[in-house]
Amino acid sequence: MTTLVLVLVLVVLVIAGAVWWSRASKQRKQRALADARADAQRWYERLGGQVMNLVANDDAAVKQALVDAGERYNAAGSQLDQATSTKQFELAGHTALEGLYYVRAARTAMDLDPGPELPPMPGQRTAGALTAEREVTLEGKEYRAGPQASSDTPYYYPGGMVRGRPVPAGWYSEPWWKTALVAGAAGVGTMLLFDAFFSPGMGIGGFDGGYDNGFADGFAQGQDGGDSGDFGGGGDGGGMFDGGFDFGDFGGD
């Protein structure tokens, strides 16, 4: 009889523990989801305020940076509307954060206060930032890049990994990385452009002064890791953050 009572008590305790654990786990997930939603909404609203209130001058680079910021704002809004998981809210927040980098670039180009520092995005520290002007000719076409906006370099890139290769933050003559981000569209010319632009010692400094050997580290990681952790640009679906995020998540959870 005593043994039966002990068994029943143990069964009750196990069931009660399982119920408690299930409820606690559900509450943790709900809190994480709420936190992710609030964080994404915060970046989205901050980006919206900048996009709506910042007026571009006649500079082509400023206009293009604000166009790119607006694309990220629209993409982040769409992602927020569809998000149902923590991962999806994080993706929306990162897309909005990316847009703020374009706003920051536009403000800097207009000689305005760029505003408070932003948290780093995936791959930025590894990729580094351009510190010198660069000009290459490939297949008869001239490409330029540099640390400052100009009429020759109106396209900003906040820095990161594209198809496993580091692309430093800076201003470029055209957004050639968009082609590299499309699956199967990165031809031999694009790969040669990577090599021509970003060979070691061509004027790439550490992002925020933190990684002076950004290119070498990033190139090694790109060779070892292939296309994993890519992060790209353009307004073709919601931001540059492919690393760690799956756009397929928006099909359902």
Side-chain angles (χ1 to χ4, degrees):
M1 185 67 178
T2 302
T3 302
L4 179 59
V5 171
L6 288 174
V7 170
L8 290 174
V9 169
L10 286 174
V11 169
V12 170
L13 289 175
V14 169
I15 293 174
V19 171
W20 175 85
W21 179 261
S22 177
R23 288 178 177 175
S25 178
K26 184 177 181 179
Q27 290 174 349
R28 285 195 298 271
K29 290 181 179 179
Q30 289 175 339
R31 286 196 297 269
L33 184 65
D35 289 344
R37 179 189 291 111
D39 193 53
Q41 190 68 36
R42 175 169 63 92
W43 290 119
Y44 176 68
E45 291 176 356
R46 179 172 166 184
L47 175 59
Q50 291 289 329
V51 169
M52 301 301 177
N53 296 318
L54 188 60
V55 179
N57 56 23
D58 293 330
D59 189 286
V62 172
K63 291 180 178 179
Q64 183 60 52
L66 290 181
V67 166
D68 289 333
E71 289 179 350
R72 276 28 172 223
Y73 177 71
N74 292 334
S78 177
Q79 290 167 350
L80 277 171
D81 289 341
Q82 299 177 57
T84 58
S85 69
T86 299
K87 188 176 180 181
Q88 291 169 352
F89 280 117
E90 287 175 348
L91 175 58
H94 286 172
T95 301
L97 176 61
E98 180 189 341
L100 285 169
Y101 269 95
Y102 282 93
V103 170
R104 187 178 176 85
R107 293 182 66 89
T108 300
M110 288 192 289
D111 293 325
L112 299 175
D113 181 355
E117 293 290 336
L118 298 171
M121 298 190 300
Q124 268 190 329
R125 292 191 181 280
T126 296
L130 293 171
T131 59
E133 300 291 334
R134 181 69 170 173
E135 180 180 324
V136 299
T137 300
L138 183 64
E139 297 178 344
K141 187 172 182 178
E142 189 177 84
Y143 298 87
R144 297 172 181 266
Q148 306 295 332
S150 73
S151 58
D152 292 328
T153 54
Y155 294 94
Y156 179 72
Y157 189 78
M161 305 298 291
V162 176
R163 298 188 68 84
R165 297 195 179 197
V167 178
W171 295 85
Y172 295 84
S173 57
E174 61 180 80
W176 50 266
W177 53 85
K178 291 185 179 181
T179 301
L181 288 167
V182 179
V188 175
T190 302
M191 294 301 101
L192 290 175
L193 193 55
F194 271 112
D195 295 336
F197 255 139
F198 309 127
S199 57
M202 55 70 70
I204 301 174
F207 196 84
D208 290 339
Y211 286 76
D212 291 334
N213 296 318
F215 174 83
D217 294 342
F219 184 78
Q221 290 179 14
Q223 297 287 22
D224 293 338
D227 289 347
S228 61
D230 286 0
F231 119 43
D236 53 341
M240 306 192 312
F241 291 92
D242 295 339
F245 298 96
D246 184 359
F247 285 97
D249 284 345
F250 281 90
D253 197 277

